[in-house]
Amino acid sequence: MKNKQQGNDWVIPENPVSHFLFSSTRASWIWLIIRLYVGYAWVTAGWKKVNSDAWTGEKAGSALQGFIKGALAKAEGGKDVTGWYASFLENAVLPNAKVFGYLVAFGELLVGIGLILGLLTGIAAFFGGIMNVSFLFAGTLSTNPILFILATWLVLAWKNAGWYGLDRWALPYLGTPWGKTTAKNSQHTTDI
């Protein structure tokens, strides 16, 4: 198919693979598997933190302070943590470790619940990706690279990633803020 001109804009046709992955409800089972995997990872991490005194209890923020101090030590040694991020951790996060401890713990839990339920999947995956990048910037690898990649794909597949979940009903109700178009009128397809 050739490019088409609509007014002053040129519309480039979407290739069949990306159309299938990111617009067709037939690919939703793929996103369901990925969503459940990433959601489970976030729920288990968040649940542990929410139930930990070092994150949300009497000693709230102490676990995060230890994490930040480790990242700052890496930055001083010239390894894994850039100067600008170390400065952010030292000047913004460390003095507010208690608040950030709650944000991390409940953020992880909420992202996981959103992904497992398939509710506002793109938004949940976006905030999960932000947390993954924050941990990567702080010099922590673990599962963060793979979770970041999967979160990015889920953000791209926001239209159909939650089809087998609550987004199937929530998105038509909420619509899209940029065009006031409901998902019923969008380009969800069941073909490739």
Side-chain angles (χ1 to χ4, degrees), residues 2 26 34 36 41 58 64 75 85 91 101 115 121 146 150 159 162 168 174 182:
K2 293 185 176 182
R26 288 178 46 202
I34 293 170
L36 292 176
E58 286 183 28
L64 189 58
Y85 197 71
N91 298 313
L115 290 173
T121 302
I146 189 68
L150 295 176
K159 292 188 285 184
R168 187 176 192 166
L174 297 172
T182 64

Side-chain angles (χ1 to χ4, degrees), residues 81-145:
V81 181
T82 60
W84 69 268
Y85 197 71
S87 178
F88 167 72
L89 290 174
E90 186 173 29
N91 298 313
V93 180
L94 193 56
N96 301 298
K98 186 173 185 175
V99 171
F100 277 94
Y102 277 92
L103 286 174
V104 169
F106 284 101
E108 288 180 357
L109 188 62
L110 290 173
V111 163
I113 290 169
L115 290 173
I116 288 171
L117 295 177
L119 180 62
L120 302 176
T121 302
I123 295 169
F126 172 78
F127 284 108
I130 293 290
M131 287 190 287
N132 287 128
V133 166
S134 297
F135 299 144
L136 287 168
F137 281 156
T140 304
L141 281 180
S142 184
T143 59
N144 288 304

Side-chain angles (χ1 to χ4, degrees), residues 2-180:
K2 293 185 176 182
N3 299 344
K4 294 180 185 177
Q5 187 171 8
Q6 293 180 345
N8 292 331
D9 291 331
W10 284 89
V11 177
I12 300 169
E14 189 173 14
N15 72 63
V17 174
S18 64
H19 177 77
F20 171 72
L21 287 174
F22 303 123
S23 296
S24 174
T25 56
R26 288 178 46 202
S28 298
W29 65 270
I30 297 168
W31 300 119
L32 173 65
I33 294 166
I34 293 170
R35 230 184 57 224
L36 292 176
Y37 170 74
V38 176
Y40 178 78
W42 281 119
V43 163
T44 55
W47 186 253
K48 288 176 188 173
K49 287 177 178 74
V50 166
N51 289 301
S52 168
D53 278 347
W55 283 94
T56 59
E58 286 183 28
K59 301 177 214 166
S62 62
L64 189 58
Q65 285 175 342
F67 177 78
I68 292 168
K69 289 176 183 174
L72 293 175
K74 289 178 186 179
E76 287 173 10
K79 293 185 176 185
D80 301 331
V81 181
T82 60
W84 69 268
Y85 197 71
S87 178
F88 167 72
L89 290 174
E90 186 173 29
N91 298 313
V93 180
L94 193 56
N96 301 298
K98 186 173 185 175
V99 171
F100 277 94
Y102 277 92
L103 286 174
V104 169
F106 284 101
E108 288 180 357
L109 188 62
L110 290 173
V111 163
I113 290 169
L115 290 173
I116 288 171
L117 295 177
L119 180 62
L120 302 176
T121 302
I123 295 169
F126 172 78
F127 284 108
I130 293 290
M131 287 190 287
N132 287 128
V133 166
S134 297
F135 299 144
L136 287 168
F137 281 156
T140 304
L141 281 180
S142 184
T143 59
N144 288 304
I146 189 68
L147 290 177
F148 175 72
I149 291 167
L150 295 176
T152 302
W153 291 350
L154 286 168
V155 169
L156 292 172
W158 71 272
K159 292 188 285 184
N160 60 343
W163 184 256
Y164 295 119
L166 296 178
D167 277 350
R168 187 176 192 166
W169 296 277
L171 292 180
Y173 178 75
L174 297 172
T176 57
W178 47 87
K180 300 295 181 199

